[in-house]
Amino acid sequence: MEQVKKIVADIKKDELKPIYFLMGEEPYYIDSLANYFEENLLSEEEKGFNQSVLYGRDVSVDDIISSAKRFPMMAKYQLLIVKEAQDLSRTIEKLVKYAENPQPSTILVICYKYKKLDKRKALYKTLNKTCVVFESKPLYENQIPDWISKVLKGKNYSITPKASLLLVEFLGTDLGKINNELEKLQLILPEGSQITPELIEENIGISKDFNNFELQKALGEKDFKKAFRIIDYFSQNPKEHPILQTTAILFSFFTKILKYHSLANHDKGNVAKTLGVNPFFVKDYAVAARNYKMKEVSGIVEKLREVDAKGKGVGANGANTSDLFKEILIKTSMAR
């Protein structure tokens, strides 16, 4: 995010580079930066003659170079944005000659999503000397809640840790999807509001009571009646709650309990850092570690491996999704 902030700050200060090559597996920041250029670099009067958007599937590198060499009309810059430039991956190195001597009055923004330039080749080396190469890397799942908090803080909102986890569980690590849902909430909530699980359930449709987070918490507390209610709900809604996602989340949860058992220092900060969890949830791992001995946790992890394999069709012997969900509960409750 720091490089994103710098690029935005440079645009505001009119300290621009002739080429911005935006690449990487996470499309959110690539799209966000391209949109920022499109909306903020030129005035409305200047955009008509000096702002163009091309698409990689429709043009060649030669077409891009030809457009980039044009001069602006009654403006300091012309802005040329190339979206879906990954469609030009086979010929993108042809851009190197232009990159060696770019038109200073053209701001060329290239959106090269889901791919990266080969850092050993001439184009990357040339761009890296005098232009901007931005690599948008995907975040790990445990980094997403912190990202959500930072995004909302920048817009004068906040969110509870549980609400962040709900979004991650149901939307995954796709920052674009998460941001879209956050923007919907911001439209209906006044600035300064805190986003809670109740608000998410009411406005996005994600249940605050029947989800994998509540399931792992119930199992950690050995509240098997609550766990059964959640698993029964999952069994009736298998498309919304796929068995493989549940086993993966529980596997991660119990693996972290194993790590907790092995720690000599159970200070909240140390546990949070070692397990890669929000400090708010450390107490859940402490409770689970008290309820399950290390040997029991090892057994549960092994059982979850078996259920995961069955969920993928290995040794399932005709077991349906409902059977597999119940098997998770039975094997957890009977762990020895």
Side-chain angles (χ1 to χ4, degrees):
M1 286 183 70
E2 292 307 313
Q3 192 178 3
V4 173
K5 290 178 181 178
K6 185 179 186 311
I7 292 172
V8 170
D10 288 345
I11 295 171
K12 291 178 178 179
K13 293 185 292 185
D14 195 30
E15 296 178 359
L16 299 165
K17 301 293 185 181
I19 303 175
Y20 290 83
F21 200 99
L22 315 177
M23 65 182 190
E25 295 177 38
E26 174 51 66
Y28 173 77
Y29 282 118
I30 295 174
D31 290 336
S32 296
L33 283 171
N35 289 339
Y36 191 85
F37 273 103
E38 197 168 351
E39 294 170 6
N40 296 280
L41 185 65
L42 301 178
S43 68
E44 290 302 320
E45 294 77 16
E46 294 170 332
K47 287 178 182 179
F49 292 106
N50 300 291
Q51 185 162 296
S52 303
V53 177
L54 306 177
Y55 289 85
R57 64 178 178 271
D58 299 325
V59 297
S60 67
V61 173
D62 289 336
D63 294 332
I64 295 169
I65 293 172
S66 178
S67 296
K69 286 183 176 180
R70 291 202 304 259
F71 289 94
M73 292 183 63
M74 296 179 289
K76 185 176 180 179
Y77 303 111
Q78 76 148 332
L79 173 63
L80 179 61
I81 300 174
V82 183
K83 297 186 176 182
E84 310 300 336
Q86 66 273 13
D87 290 338
L88 296 167
S89 59
R90 293 183 179 179
T91 57
I92 197 68
E93 283 294 318
K94 292 175 67 176
L95 191 62
V96 69
K97 288 186 178 180
Y98 177 79
E100 290 172 345
N101 186 29
Q103 170 67 268
S105 59
T106 293
I107 307 302
L108 174 59
V109 180
I110 300 176
C111 304
Y112 198 75
K113 296 193 286 190
Y114 314 113
K115 293 189 176 187
K116 296 183 290 184
L117 290 177
D118 188 333
K119 295 181 180 181
R120 299 167 298 179
K121 292 189 176 181
L123 181 57
Y124 177 84
K125 292 178 180 178
T126 302
L127 289 170
N128 211 34
K129 287 177 184 177
T130 58
C131 301
V132 173
V133 179
F134 169 73
E135 183 177 349
S136 186
K137 297 179 180 179
L139 297 181
Y140 293 111
E141 188 171 303
N142 64 355
Q143 296 175 307
I144 304 294
D146 186 52
W147 177 85
I148 292 172
S149 295
K150 288 179 179 177
V151 168
L152 288 172
K153 185 177 180 181
K155 299 178 180 179
N156 197 26
Y157 289 85
S158 62
I159 189 168
T160 67
K162 182 179 175 181
S164 290
L165 279 186
L166 285 178
L167 288 173
V168 176
E169 178 184 335
F170 282 85
L171 301 174
T173 59
D174 187 321
L175 302 186
K177 285 183 180 178
I178 294 172
N179 188 66
N180 286 341
E181 297 301 333
L182 292 177
E183 288 183 343
K184 291 177 187 176
L185 290 171
Q186 290 164 46
L187 288 174
I188 60 174
L189 298 174
E191 277 194 38
S193 297
Q194 183 178 59
I195 296 171
T196 63
E198 289 76 15
L199 285 170
I200 288 176
E201 181 175 48
E202 182 180 344
N203 296 285
I204 299 179
I206 301 172
S207 173
K208 65 181 177 61
D209 297 315
F210 296 97
N211 55 73
N212 285 311
F213 169 74
E214 288 297 328
L215 175 59
Q216 73 176 29
K217 186 176 181 181
L219 292 175
E221 295 173 349
K222 286 196 170 181
D223 185 346
F224 295 117
K225 287 185 179 179
K226 180 179 179 181
F228 179 80
R229 289 196 300 272
I230 296 171
I231 279 180
D232 185 56
Y233 178 85
F234 285 5
S235 299
Q236 295 175 45
N237 300 273
K239 289 185 178 180
E240 295 179 13
H241 302 278
I243 183 71
L244 293 180
Q245 182 186 51
T246 297
T247 53
I249 289 171
L250 293 181
F251 182 85
S252 174
F253 178 64
F254 282 101
T255 300
K256 286 172 181 171
I257 297 171
L258 272 181
K259 288 183 181 178
Y260 185 96
H261 273 297
S262 68
L263 292 175
N265 179 5
H266 287 146
D267 173 76
K268 181 188 285 189
N270 181 61
V271 173
K273 182 178 179 181
T274 304
L275 301 188
V277 299
N278 188 301
F280 179 84
F281 298 109
V282 167
K283 62 181 182 296
D284 294 336
Y285 291 89
V287 169
R290 287 197 298 270
N291 284 333
Y292 297 92
K293 296 177 182 178
M294 196 168 191
K295 185 178 179 181
E296 291 177 321
V297 180
S298 296
I300 291 170
V301 168
E302 189 56 38
K303 297 298 183 184
L304 287 170
R305 289 182 199 269
E306 293 176 12
V307 175
D308 181 65
K310 289 180 181 179
K312 295 171 181 174
V314 180
N317 295 323
N320 59 32
T321 301
S322 178
D323 295 332
L324 293 176
F325 272 123
K326 289 172 183 175
E327 188 173 343
I328 290 175
L329 180 58
I330 292 169
K331 291 184 174 180
T332 304
S333 63
M334 297 180 65
R336 291 291 185 274

